[in-house]
Amino acid sequence: MIGIGSPQKASDHGKPSWAKFDILKSIQGWVGARLTVNPDTVDRLSSGVRLLHERGINQFLIGLNMDVEWSEEKSNIWVEVMEKVRHYYVDQKINGSPIRINEFDETLTDIRNNSAGKWGCDAGRTRLAVSCSGDLYPCSRFVSPFPGVEDRYRLGNVFEGITNLAAHAELLDATDQNRPICRSCEYKDYCTGPCAASSFHITGDIHTPQPINCVFTWLRVTHLEKSLQD
Protein backbone atom coordinates (compact mmCIF):
# COMPACT_ATOMS: atom_id res chain seq x y z
CA MET A 1 0.00 0.00 0.00
CA ILE A 2 1.44 3.37 -1.00
CA GLY A 3 0.43 6.92 -0.23
CA ILE A 4 -0.38 9.18 -3.16
CA GLY A 5 0.32 12.89 -2.99
CA SER A 6 0.45 14.83 -6.27
CA PRO A 7 1.09 12.45 -9.18
CA GLN A 8 1.80 15.22 -11.69
CA LYS A 9 4.41 16.98 -9.57
CA ALA A 10 7.90 16.94 -11.04
CA SER A 11 10.71 15.32 -9.10
CA ASP A 12 14.09 16.89 -8.36
CA HIS A 13 15.39 15.40 -11.61
CA GLY A 14 12.71 17.01 -13.74
CA LYS A 15 10.83 13.74 -14.34
CA PRO A 16 7.18 13.19 -13.38
CA SER A 17 6.71 11.24 -10.15
CA TRP A 18 4.76 8.70 -12.21
CA ALA A 19 8.09 7.42 -13.52
CA LYS A 20 8.91 5.87 -10.15
CA PHE A 21 5.41 4.47 -9.90
CA ASP A 22 5.73 2.84 -13.33
CA ILE A 23 8.89 1.08 -12.14
CA LEU A 24 7.04 -0.18 -9.07
CA LYS A 25 4.12 -1.33 -11.22
CA SER A 26 6.43 -3.27 -13.53
CA ILE A 27 7.72 -5.23 -10.52
CA GLN A 28 4.56 -5.50 -8.45
CA GLY A 29 1.40 -6.09 -10.46
CA TRP A 30 -1.14 -5.26 -7.76
CA VAL A 31 -0.71 -1.83 -6.17
CA GLY A 32 -2.85 -0.18 -3.51
CA ALA A 33 -3.07 3.44 -2.41
CA ARG A 34 -4.26 5.24 0.69
CA LEU A 35 -6.21 8.41 -0.14
CA THR A 36 -6.75 10.96 2.63
CA VAL A 37 -9.48 13.44 1.75
CA ASN A 38 -9.52 17.03 2.98
CA PRO A 39 -12.41 19.52 2.77
CA ASP A 40 -10.56 21.61 0.19
CA THR A 41 -9.85 18.62 -2.09
CA VAL A 42 -12.99 16.52 -1.61
CA ASP A 43 -14.53 17.67 -4.89
CA ARG A 44 -11.62 16.09 -6.80
CA LEU A 45 -11.87 12.64 -5.20
CA SER A 46 -13.91 10.93 -7.92
CA SER A 47 -11.71 12.16 -10.76
CA GLY A 48 -8.64 11.29 -8.70
CA VAL A 49 -9.73 7.69 -8.17
CA ARG A 50 -10.44 7.35 -11.88
CA LEU A 51 -7.05 8.83 -12.83
CA LEU A 52 -5.14 6.62 -10.39
CA HIS A 53 -6.97 3.48 -11.47
CA GLU A 54 -6.33 4.22 -15.13
CA ARG A 55 -2.65 4.66 -14.27
CA GLY A 56 -2.55 1.18 -12.75
CA ILE A 57 -3.49 1.43 -9.07
CA ASN A 58 -5.83 -1.42 -8.17
CA GLN A 59 -6.84 -0.99 -4.55
CA PHE A 60 -8.03 2.10 -2.70
CA LEU A 61 -8.39 2.81 0.99
CA ILE A 62 -10.26 6.11 1.21
CA GLY A 63 -10.19 7.99 4.51
CA LEU A 64 -11.20 11.41 5.75
CA ASN A 65 -8.98 13.89 7.53
CA MET A 66 -10.76 13.92 10.89
CA ASP A 67 -8.40 16.50 12.39
CA VAL A 68 -10.10 19.38 10.60
CA GLU A 69 -13.66 20.62 10.74
CA TRP A 70 -16.01 19.66 7.93
CA SER A 71 -18.78 22.11 7.11
CA GLU A 72 -22.22 20.88 6.10
CA GLU A 73 -21.48 21.99 2.55
CA LYS A 74 -18.26 19.96 2.36
CA SER A 75 -19.96 16.97 3.99
CA ASN A 76 -22.63 17.05 1.29
CA ILE A 77 -19.95 17.18 -1.38
CA TRP A 78 -18.34 14.14 0.21
CA VAL A 79 -21.60 12.23 -0.15
CA GLU A 80 -21.96 13.28 -3.79
CA VAL A 81 -18.44 12.33 -4.84
CA MET A 82 -18.55 9.00 -3.03
CA GLU A 83 -21.69 8.20 -5.00
CA LYS A 84 -19.68 8.86 -8.17
CA VAL A 85 -16.87 6.67 -6.85
CA ARG A 86 -19.37 3.91 -6.08
CA HIS A 87 -20.79 4.00 -9.61
CA TYR A 88 -17.30 3.89 -11.11
CA TYR A 89 -16.37 0.99 -8.84
CA VAL A 90 -19.50 -1.02 -9.73
CA ASP A 91 -18.99 -0.41 -13.47
CA GLN A 92 -15.38 -1.53 -13.27
CA LYS A 93 -16.27 -4.66 -11.32
CA ILE A 94 -18.97 -5.57 -13.86
CA ASN A 95 -16.41 -5.18 -16.66
CA GLY A 96 -13.95 -7.43 -14.84
CA SER A 97 -11.43 -4.71 -14.09
CA PRO A 98 -9.02 -5.52 -11.23
CA ILE A 99 -10.10 -3.01 -8.61
CA ARG A 100 -10.88 -3.02 -4.93
CA ILE A 101 -12.25 -0.17 -2.85
CA ASN A 102 -12.25 -1.22 0.79
CA GLU A 103 -15.23 0.94 1.70
CA PHE A 104 -17.40 -1.06 -0.73
CA ASP A 105 -15.82 -4.51 -0.50
CA GLU A 106 -16.76 -5.42 3.07
CA THR A 107 -20.20 -6.89 3.63
CA LEU A 108 -22.63 -5.36 6.11
CA THR A 109 -22.34 -8.56 8.16
CA ASP A 110 -18.57 -8.18 8.32
CA ILE A 111 -18.82 -4.57 9.48
CA ARG A 112 -21.42 -5.41 12.10
CA ASN A 113 -19.43 -8.38 13.42
CA ASN A 114 -16.34 -6.21 13.76
CA SER A 115 -18.11 -3.21 15.29
CA ALA A 116 -21.21 -4.17 17.31
CA GLY A 117 -20.83 -3.54 21.02
CA LYS A 118 -17.38 -1.99 20.62
CA TRP A 119 -16.26 1.58 21.08
CA GLY A 120 -12.98 3.36 20.72
CA CYS A 121 -9.57 2.43 19.43
CA ASP A 122 -6.64 0.79 21.22
CA ALA A 123 -5.29 4.09 22.57
CA GLY A 124 -4.50 3.68 26.25
CA ARG A 125 -5.81 0.12 26.20
CA THR A 126 -3.35 -2.08 24.38
CA ARG A 127 -0.92 0.61 23.30
CA LEU A 128 1.06 3.48 24.77
CA ALA A 129 3.35 6.11 23.30
CA VAL A 130 6.49 7.40 24.97
CA SER A 131 7.59 10.99 24.43
CA CYS A 132 11.22 12.10 24.23
CA SER A 133 11.02 13.13 27.88
CA GLY A 134 9.74 9.72 28.97
CA ASP A 135 6.10 10.69 29.45
CA LEU A 136 3.40 8.14 28.62
CA TYR A 137 0.43 8.87 26.35
CA PRO A 138 -2.46 6.77 24.99
CA CYS A 139 -0.94 6.78 21.49
CA SER A 140 1.44 8.86 19.39
CA ARG A 141 -1.33 11.24 18.32
CA PHE A 142 -1.77 12.34 21.94
CA VAL A 143 1.84 13.36 22.51
CA SER A 144 1.55 16.95 21.29
CA PRO A 145 -0.77 17.26 18.29
CA PHE A 146 -3.37 19.69 19.61
CA PRO A 147 -3.65 22.22 22.46
CA GLY A 148 -4.95 20.67 25.66
CA VAL A 149 -4.49 17.05 24.66
CA GLU A 150 -0.96 16.72 26.01
CA ASP A 151 -1.75 17.98 29.52
CA ARG A 152 -5.06 16.21 30.02
CA TYR A 153 -4.02 12.82 28.66
CA ARG A 154 -0.48 12.53 29.95
CA LEU A 155 -0.88 9.16 31.66
CA GLY A 156 2.39 9.06 33.58
CA ASN A 157 6.03 8.40 32.81
CA VAL A 158 8.43 5.52 32.30
CA PHE A 159 9.77 5.81 35.84
CA GLU A 160 6.49 5.78 37.76
CA GLY A 161 4.19 4.06 35.29
CA ILE A 162 0.57 5.14 34.79
CA THR A 163 -0.36 7.67 37.46
CA ASN A 164 -3.19 9.58 35.76
CA LEU A 165 -5.79 6.95 36.63
CA ALA A 166 -8.79 9.14 35.83
CA ALA A 167 -7.68 9.72 32.23
CA HIS A 168 -6.77 6.07 31.85
CA ALA A 169 -10.20 4.98 33.11
CA GLU A 170 -11.85 7.35 30.65
CA LEU A 171 -10.00 5.70 27.78
CA LEU A 172 -10.91 2.23 28.99
CA ASP A 173 -14.62 3.03 29.23
CA ALA A 174 -16.41 1.28 26.36
CA THR A 175 -19.97 1.79 27.61
CA ASP A 176 -22.43 4.20 26.02
CA GLN A 177 -22.88 6.27 29.18
CA ASN A 178 -20.42 8.88 27.96
CA ARG A 179 -21.79 9.13 24.44
CA PRO A 180 -25.56 9.73 24.61
CA ILE A 181 -25.48 11.01 21.01
CA CYS A 182 -24.80 7.43 19.88
CA ARG A 183 -27.39 5.54 21.93
CA SER A 184 -30.31 6.10 19.57
CA CYS A 185 -28.29 5.99 16.33
CA GLU A 186 -29.55 3.30 13.99
CA TYR A 187 -26.01 2.76 12.72
CA LYS A 188 -24.28 2.35 16.09
CA ASP A 189 -23.65 -1.36 15.49
CA TYR A 190 -21.61 -0.44 12.40
CA CYS A 191 -19.37 2.10 14.11
CA THR A 192 -16.66 1.87 16.75
CA GLY A 193 -16.23 5.63 16.96
CA PRO A 194 -13.61 7.98 15.57
CA CYS A 195 -10.03 8.61 16.66
CA ALA A 196 -10.11 9.74 20.29
CA ALA A 197 -7.44 12.41 19.73
CA SER A 198 -9.30 13.86 16.74
CA SER A 199 -12.58 13.89 18.65
CA PHE A 200 -11.00 15.78 21.53
CA HIS A 201 -9.48 18.28 19.12
CA ILE A 202 -12.75 18.99 17.27
CA THR A 203 -15.44 18.48 19.94
CA GLY A 204 -13.49 18.77 23.20
CA ASP A 205 -14.50 15.24 24.22
CA ILE A 206 -12.90 11.93 23.25
CA HIS A 207 -16.34 10.26 23.29
CA THR A 208 -18.14 12.76 21.06
CA PRO A 209 -17.57 12.30 17.32
CA GLN A 210 -17.56 15.24 15.01
CA PRO A 211 -20.48 15.16 12.54
CA ILE A 212 -18.40 14.09 9.53
CA ASN A 213 -17.63 10.80 11.27
CA CYS A 214 -21.36 10.09 11.52
CA VAL A 215 -21.79 11.04 7.86
CA PHE A 216 -18.97 8.65 6.97
CA THR A 217 -20.63 5.76 8.84
CA TRP A 218 -24.02 6.46 7.29
CA LEU A 219 -22.48 6.71 3.84
CA ARG A 220 -20.52 3.51 4.24
CA VAL A 221 -23.55 1.46 5.30
CA THR A 222 -26.15 2.89 2.91
CA HIS A 223 -23.86 2.91 -0.12
CA LEU A 224 -22.63 -0.58 0.65
CA GLU A 225 -26.24 -1.72 0.60
CA LYS A 226 -26.61 -0.08 -2.82
CA SER A 227 -23.46 -1.79 -4.10
CA LEU A 228 -24.72 -5.19 -2.99
CA GLN A 229 -28.01 -4.57 -4.76
CA ASP A 230 -26.43 -3.46 -8.06
Side-chain angles (χ1 to χ4, degrees), residues 112-152:
R112 186 183 178 92
N113 288 341
N114 293 330
S115 305
K118 301 176 183 178
W119 177 259
C121 60
D122 295 330
R125 299 178 181 180
T126 61
R127 71 174 67 176
L128 289 173
V130 183
S131 71
C132 295
S133 60
D135 289 327
L136 301 178
Y137 295 93
C139 78
S140 59
R141 303 199 68 245
F142 277 89
V143 175
S144 59
F146 311 117
V149 173
E150 182 177 5
D151 293 332
R152 179 167 175 176

Side-chain angles (χ1 to χ4, degrees), residues 43-90:
D43 58 321
R44 302 199 296 271
L45 174 62
S46 178
S47 60
V49 169
R50 184 184 295 268
L51 168 66
L52 294 172
H53 183 240
E54 291 174 350
R55 287 291 310 190
I57 290 179
N58 309 102
Q59 185 169 349
F60 298 87
L61 179 60
I62 303 172
L64 295 172
N65 182 356
M66 296 291 187
D67 294 337
V68 296
E69 293 194 51
W70 285 74
S71 66
E72 183 177 353
E73 176 189 3
K74 294 298 184 179
S75 298
N76 290 335
I77 294 176
W78 162 251
V79 174
E80 293 173 3
V81 297
M82 280 299 284
E83 177 70 3
K84 294 179 181 178
V85 172
R86 186 186 74 85
H87 278 296
Y88 178 75
Y89 161 80
V90 171

Side-chain angles (χ1 to χ4, degrees), residues 11-30:
S11 69
D12 293 337
H13 302 289
K15 298 179 180 180
S17 57
W18 279 119
K20 296 179 181 179
F21 170 78
D22 290 339
I23 295 174
L24 172 64
K25 185 68 178 179
S26 67
I27 299 173
Q28 178 179 315
W30 186 275

Side-chain angles (χ1 to χ4, degrees), residues 176-192:
D176 63 2
Q177 295 304 308
N178 293 324
R179 56 181 203 282
I181 191 175
C182 303
R183 292 178 194 168
S184 59
C185 178
E186 61 179 305
Y187 302 109
K188 64 180 180 181
D189 287 338
Y190 300 95
C191 175
T192 59

